[in-house]
Amino acid sequence: RKEVEQDPGPFNVPEGATVAFNCTYSNSASQSFFWYRQDCRKEPKLLMSVYSSGNEDGRFTAQLNRASQYISLLIRDSKLSDSATYLCVVTRGYQKVTFGIGTKLQVIP
Amino acid sequence: DAGVTQSPTHLIKTRGQHVTLRCSPISGHKSVSWYQQVLGQGPQFIFQYYEKEERGRGNFPDRFSARQFPNYSSELNVNALLLGDSALYLCASSLESANQPQHFGDGTRLSIL
């Protein structure tokens, strides 16, 4: 089993829709969790850190479920500019930083 | 403030050669991490450095090495290049560790012929 798993998609959604992605992780000792956004042929950019209490930034909400070992990202009122690949990141100590394969989102007019 | 800067932007090498990639972190960031990203995959962790010491190493062969300098800049070296080393090499900096939010440079696109 992979340490971090994501559905690669693509998720094709109309503008204004709500879309959610999940990312599962296999090691219960994982410590820190993040969502990054990566546009085609560009570098990843931090979208949000993910906390057990959940956190929100505008139209974006991230959740962590330690019992079921997954993190989620919810995007409300999708914009064309949200089209990108969304990477989840799980860390464990200093030695282990694992990115998921990324979920591709395409927002359609 | 300048972000993370990497050089060169693009590089073409042949099998068996070696390459050195360079990275300057954001001012005030003491941790630098290196990643390899091939098309269609997420970045793969290669190394993390903090205060000139290697703190973490991913599952890469000994042909890959790195170091961090007193000014916190870093170099990634790859020896005996293979075709499979063709990838985007990303450098990321953070305040103290890769457990914290990281800021990525634009990357170096390495092609092996």
Side-chain angles (χ1 to χ4, degrees), chain A residues 2 31-32 34 36 38 41-46 49 87 89 91-102, chain B residues 35 37 39-45 48 55-58 88 90 97-106 109:
Chain A
K2 286 186 181 178
Q31 296 170 289
S32 302
F34 305 93
Y36 284 77
Q38 187 171 29
R41 299 182 72 80
K42 297 282 197 177
E43 78 279 16
K45 291 187 177 173
L46 178 69
S49 301
L87 298 156
V89 180
T91 78
R92 178 164 49 89
Y94 299 126
Q95 289 79 17
K96 252 334 200 172
V97 179
T98 306
F99 277 74
I101 193 172
Chain B
Y35 296 85
Q37 187 175 25
L39 202 60
Q41 300 292 322
Q44 298 291 307
F45 174 67
Q48 183 196 167
R55 236 186 195 179
R57 173 187 282 256
L88 177 67
L90 293 160
S97 111
N99 278 332
Q100 298 171 321
Q102 296 182 78
H103 299 265
F104 283 82
D106 292 343
R109 201 164 293 277

Side-chain angles (χ1 to χ4, degrees), chain A residues 52-72:
Chain A
S52 297
S53 54
N55 45 309
E56 189 173 308
D57 182 4
R59 298 181 293 108
F60 298 82
T61 301
Q63 296 272 0
L64 166 61
N65 186 316
R66 283 195 183 272
S68 300
Q69 294 183 198
Y70 73 87
I71 64 172
S72 63

Side-chain angles (χ1 to χ4, degrees), chain A residues 11 13-19 21 37-39 47 59-60 73-86 103-108:
Chain A
F11 284 59
V13 302
E15 262 186 298
T18 295
V19 62
F21 310 131
R37 170 199 168 122
Q38 187 171 29
D39 293 291
L47 187 63
R59 298 181 293 108
F60 298 82
L73 178 67
L74 181 79
I75 305 175
R76 289 180 297 277
D77 188 23
S78 299
K79 312 289 185 192
L80 294 176
S81 58
D82 294 332
S83 298
T85 295
Y86 290 84
T103 297
K104 187 170 182 178
L105 171 66
Q106 186 70 47
V107 181
I108 305 163

